[in-house]
Amino acid sequence: MQMNSEFFTVDDLLIRWSGVIAKGTLANWRAKRIGPAYVKIGGRILYPVSIVETWEKTNMRSCNDN
């Protein structure tokens, strides 16, 4: 992951989420407008760290969830 950055790249997220999802999944989520919000700057897809962390917390499930 990038150090001292306010953004994750697509590759950073793949590493952060331990390969559980594929690069294509992130692309599909962007197309369907699901998943964490992102910005596109100079052709690069960037995910704000704070948005990703909030999205992860929002999507946390406990063992008792249905």
Side-chain angles (χ1 to χ4, degrees):
M1 283 184 221
Q2 298 174 351
M3 300 303 282
N4 293 325
S5 179
E6 295 181 40
F7 297 96
F8 291 124
T9 65
V10 169
D11 290 335
D12 291 334
L13 283 185
L14 297 178
I15 292 167
R16 181 178 178 89
W17 294 334
S18 305
V20 173
I21 62 165
K23 192 175 278 192
T25 299
L26 285 175
N28 287 336
W29 286 357
R30 290 190 303 271
K32 294 178 180 180
R33 299 188 186 274
I34 60 176
Y38 66 94
V39 295
K40 191 171 183 179
I41 301 173
R44 293 183 66 202
I45 302 296
L46 300 171
Y47 294 86
V49 169
S50 62
I51 297 292
V52 170
E53 290 172 343
T54 299
W55 186 84
E56 289 170 338
K57 289 176 187 172
T58 301
N59 287 282
M60 182 79 60
R61 301 291 186 259
S62 72
C63 293
N64 296 325
D65 289 347
N66 292 324

